[in-house]
Amino acid sequence: MSLYIVGFLISLVASLCSVPFVKEIAVKFGIVDQPSNRKIHMKQMPRLGGLAIILGFFAGFLYISPTNPYLMPIILGACIIIVIGILDDKFTLSYKIKLAGQVAAAAIVVFSGLTVEFIYLPMLHRVELGMLEYIFTMLWIIGITNAVNLIDGLDGLASGVSTIALAAILFMAIINGQMFVATVTLLLMASTLGFLVFNFYPAKIFMGDTGSLFLGYFISIISILGFFKSFTLVSFIIPILILSIPIFDTYFAIIRRLLNKQKITAPDRSHLHHCLLQLGFSHRTTVLIIYGMGAFFGISAIIFSNTTLWVSFLIIGLILLLVHITAEFIGLIGQKRPLITMIKRLTSRS
């Protein structure tokens, strides 16, 4: 136990201490985020903060030195993600180049043998994926990597939501005795928490794509190792529940852009955090609300994994209903916003 406590502290302190140096490097080399109509911040901000998360994580990782048959391809894929993230923070790469890098990283992992060979679903039990295992695994890695990247829109949002998701994964990994997954998750939590001290509103530095892509990539990997490889009837649903905030935000963004006849990669101001801000919530309150949502989904996943089949169905049904109502009310689809309209009318009358 002392090994993991020390490893946690090493990652936490290394991340904390490296942020000022990373910030200085970002400013020196012009790796900064400029204000624009689509962005919330009103001043130039350094955006290489994810490098502090990476340094903190690997500091603790080297100390504990966990082993896994897929360790080298996972690390090699991470290196590609890190390079893509740094280059994008500096030069703002096109989505095609970023996607090519993510595909390369995912391919290295998949062709090393780390794939989702089957999934367990209620009623259907074990479903073999066959040749689809390669496509499914690559889509999962790329999808989660980009989902975390997309929610990085407010101070402390991506880092906080990721930490909450990691806490749920850590709890379940410990219960199931998955020590490699638990170790990686613990160190990611520590390094992200250290960075969050400087990133929470009002932020002094952004994690940038360097951080959000790195977190998304590793969360996708540990979810494969921790859930898809487990022999439970809910192995497919649990990671989706834990990662509901980035997954559903990405899902509604795709639907919204298709309905508006926009490119899927086109940016907009209708993400979850944008909609909450438009309702009148402050920057800090919006982030805390989304933290609460993330905690709700994480706790739901834990309850879901330890309950009967019919109760599991009830939980899923209630969550899907809640997600649908929330999306309609706050305008995640991007067409109708009845709650916003009602509030504006009441405000104008008063």
Side-chain angles (χ1 to χ4, degrees), residues 251-264 268 328 331-336:
Y251 167 76
F252 284 119
I254 293 172
I255 297 299
R256 183 173 63 247
R257 290 163 189 173
L258 289 175
L259 290 174
N260 293 330
K261 298 180 180 179
Q262 296 176 318
K263 291 182 178 180
I264 293 178
D268 59 29
E328 286 291 331
L332 278 175
I333 303 297
Q335 290 186 318
K336 293 183 179 180

Side-chain angles (χ1 to χ4, degrees), residues 117-275:
E117 301 169 8
F118 57 86
I119 57 175
Y120 272 94
L121 293 173
M123 307 303 289
L124 297 176
H125 300 290
R126 176 164 168 155
V127 178
E128 298 286 348
L129 295 179
M131 292 302 296
L132 291 177
E133 67 182 81
Y134 300 101
I135 298 173
F136 180 90
T137 308
M138 289 193 66
L139 288 177
W140 178 262
I141 295 173
I142 295 168
I144 298 302
T145 299
N146 281 287
V148 174
N149 180 241
L150 283 176
I151 65 168
D152 186 24
L154 293 180
D155 297 358
L157 184 56
S159 50
V161 169
S162 295
T163 301
I164 293 168
L166 287 167
I169 295 172
L170 176 63
F171 180 84
M172 300 185 72
I174 292 174
I175 289 178
N176 295 320
Q178 298 168 319
M179 292 314 299
F180 178 79
V181 174
T183 301
V184 172
T185 305
L186 182 72
L187 298 178
L188 281 173
M189 277 185 61
S191 56
T192 307
L193 282 171
F195 172 74
L196 188 57
V197 172
F198 295 89
N199 185 235
F200 192 72
Y201 184 81
K204 298 176 177 63
I205 187 172
F206 293 161
M207 69 164 61
D209 277 17
T210 305
S212 60
L213 293 177
F214 177 80
L215 282 175
Y217 169 80
F218 258 105
I219 289 174
S220 72
I221 296 297
I222 60 178
S223 64
I224 291 172
L225 291 170
F227 300 116
F228 290 113
K229 294 293 185 182
S230 65
F231 295 88
T232 68
L233 292 177
V234 291
S235 61
F236 177 62
I237 300 174
I238 289 176
I240 294 177
L241 275 178
I242 291 175
L243 300 169
S244 288
I245 295 293
I247 287 175
F248 281 120
D249 194 41
T250 302
Y251 167 76
F252 284 119
I254 293 172
I255 297 299
R256 183 173 63 247
R257 290 163 189 173
L258 289 175
L259 290 174
N260 293 330
K261 298 180 180 179
Q262 296 176 318
K263 291 182 178 180
I264 293 178
T265 56
D268 59 29
R269 290 178 62 88
S270 295
H271 287 285
L272 176 59
H273 55 276
H274 290 126
C275 292

